[in-house]
Amino acid sequence: SLPPSVQTFWKWLNDEKVVSSKSPAKPGMVKEGLGLVAQRDIGRNEVVLEVPKKFWINSDMVLGSEIGRVCDGLKPWISVALFLIREKLREDEGGAYWRSYIDILPEFTDSTIFWSEEELSEIEGTQLLSTTLSVKEYVKNEFLQVQEQVISPNKRLFPFEITLDDFIWAFGILRSRAFSRLRGQNLVLIPLADLINHSASITTEDYAYEIKGAGLFSRDQIFSLRSPIYVKAGQQVLIQYDLNKSNAELALDYGFIESTPDRNTYTLTLQISESDPYFDDKLDIAETNGTKAVQYFDITLGRPLPPKMLPYLRLVALGGTDSFLLESIFRNSVWDHLELPFSRDNEEVICQVVRSACQSALSSYRTTIEEDEKLKGGNISSRLEIAIGIRAGEKKVLQQIDEVFKEKEMELDENEYYQERRLRDLGLVGEQGDIIFWEPK
Ligand code: MLZ
């Protein structure tokens, strides 16, 4: 049966007429923790619940609340975080209204922002570790600022100690529970709707939830959640959170990963060095073609390289006798030329650069893919499972990239390069590739 806190929450929603006993779904205990369970069969695209705007928690609502006047100008997530923390920590009667919702919120999730140092050591060498550390650094800086500018000067509104951990808690709640891709909404917590869990096997994102008018004669808005698939009574209602997030993003935001291969990604950072003698010309060319001085390329397991990566790499590596291509008369065609191997030297450099970057990244993990695969089957905690999935996934992507450039290395002598293409275009190369000489008359 349901924990008392959840029963109280459900009663509150009934008392407030957000739901009735006939509601198609209600909170229930599921393998993820809490979830929404169908009380009867629910059809595909059937509305599961509707939550009126007065129950939404977003920055507009906070601006109209008791702390509104001190939240003016804050980032939306900071306002909502302050609101949640205050509702959580306050002990006066004013806290009664949101109490039952606050009480069902978890103290933590499996998001890497909640991991101990020991748990984080399992993702040593990964990009997820550095992302996690920089996100925590960001939250800390925001906390220190809001503490100095908002919390400390307003002791009457915040008559309790607020710590960085409280702030990380609120951040984690928002990252995992808020809906962020709604029309006109930056991020919004929708009590009850936020109990919905994610399913990897649901691959349609559209129409699962939306904001709409509460009715023909009402100017109010409601949040409406539909089930993307048919659900039998007693089963959990699930949605797809986000088809575009990588496993690293899923782990950071929600504290889970998928085994779907193309959720595994690695982000390569390439750049035109400021000390490059051709920096200005290269930057101009890069920018005309939609790339920057520092450019990120997300590489996905089982997918081809991003289309702009090879031209960008060739541009970065361009030098020596190839640098004539940077002259302004070529400006309109330079990117086209870089879509294909430009010169043997240039192609060789990009292979070496990428392969050695892959190998050095691969050497910073503590385990091999084989060791990871062995651990996967065992009886391990959910966090360790995430850690293993992430580090194995990154390594697989790195190996894939290395493999691609290893093949390119083997083709170096067979490629046709710019000079040959140009001669051929000018009709100076015969069928067998021999240069045709004119006999002097
Ligand atoms: N990623 C989507 C869904 C989030 C659902 C959160 N948990 C209930 C979004 O940001 O809207």
Side-chain angles (χ1 to χ4, degrees), residues 173-182 186-190 192-198 205 209 223 239-243 245 250 253-254:
I173 289 294
L174 289 174
R175 261 319 243 247
S176 60
R177 308 182 76 93
F179 292 89
S180 56
R181 290 174 304 143
L182 286 161
N186 178 290
L187 89 173
V188 52
L189 271 178
I190 316 269
L192 185 63
D194 65 350
L195 291 181
I196 191 110
N197 286 315
H198 164 87
E205 258 184 300
Y209 48 87
F223 174 92
I239 61 168
Q240 166 64 243
Y241 280 179
D242 198 325
L243 284 173
K245 278 185 180 162
L250 293 177
D253 291 350
Y254 309 117

Side-chain angles (χ1 to χ4, degrees), residues 255-295:
F256 60 71
I257 56 171
E258 282 188 4
S259 48
T260 324
D262 64 8
R263 292 278 190 179
N264 293 301
T265 63
Y266 196 93
T267 305
L268 283 186
T269 308
L270 303 178
Q271 63 172 313
I272 307 167
S273 159
E274 273 176 55
S275 61
D276 190 313
Y278 307 107
F279 179 79
D280 292 330
D281 286 322
K282 288 187 178 180
L283 181 59
D284 181 44
I285 296 163
E287 286 181 340
T288 329
N289 292 283
T291 52
K292 300 190 219 133
V294 177
Q295 181 63 45

Side-chain angles (χ1 to χ4, degrees), residues 67-118:
I67 59 168
R69 62 178 179 83
V70 302
C71 287
D72 202 27
L74 294 181
K75 295 190 180 76
W77 83 264
I78 307 268
S79 304
V80 180
L82 278 178
F83 179 85
L84 287 178
I85 295 167
R86 180 166 181 267
E87 293 305 310
K88 188 179 188 209
L89 298 180
R90 72 193 290 183
E91 283 162 359
D92 58 297
E93 315 83 77
Y97 189 73
W98 294 102
R99 178 92 283 135
S100 68
Y101 173 63
I102 299 291
D103 282 350
I104 64 144
L105 295 176
E107 276 308 314
F108 49 80
T109 69
D110 277 336
S111 160
T112 49
I113 60 164
F114 293 111
W115 290 17
S116 67
E117 264 180 45
E118 198 191 326

Side-chain angles (χ1 to χ4, degrees), residues 384-438:
L384 186 54
E385 193 184 310
I386 294 171
I388 296 169
I390 289 287
R391 68 198 193 203
E394 285 192 10
K395 280 176 282 199
K396 286 181 193 166
V397 182
L398 282 165
Q399 284 193 352
Q400 171 183 302
I401 305 170
D402 186 56
E403 203 57 45
V404 168
F405 284 87
K406 187 173 159 191
E407 269 162 37
K408 293 202 180 297
E409 253 175 1
M410 295 189 303
E411 290 161 1
L412 283 175
D413 289 326
E414 283 120 62
N415 284 338
E416 192 186 53
Y417 297 107
Y418 172 80
Q419 294 296 356
E420 289 136 294
R421 287 198 288 275
R422 199 178 64 116
L423 292 177
R424 197 195 44 194
D425 289 348
L426 294 173
L428 297 177
V429 178
E431 278 299 301
Q432 281 79 35
D434 321 309
I435 292 185
I436 302 166
F437 293 98
W438 279 271

Side-chain angles (χ1 to χ4, degrees), residues 85 88 107 113-114 136 143 162-171:
I85 295 167
K88 188 179 188 209
E107 276 308 314
I113 60 164
F114 293 111
K136 291 188 78 167
F143 166 68
I162 297 181
T163 64
L164 174 58
D165 280 341
D166 295 319
F167 230 70
I168 293 178
W169 169 78
F171 181 83

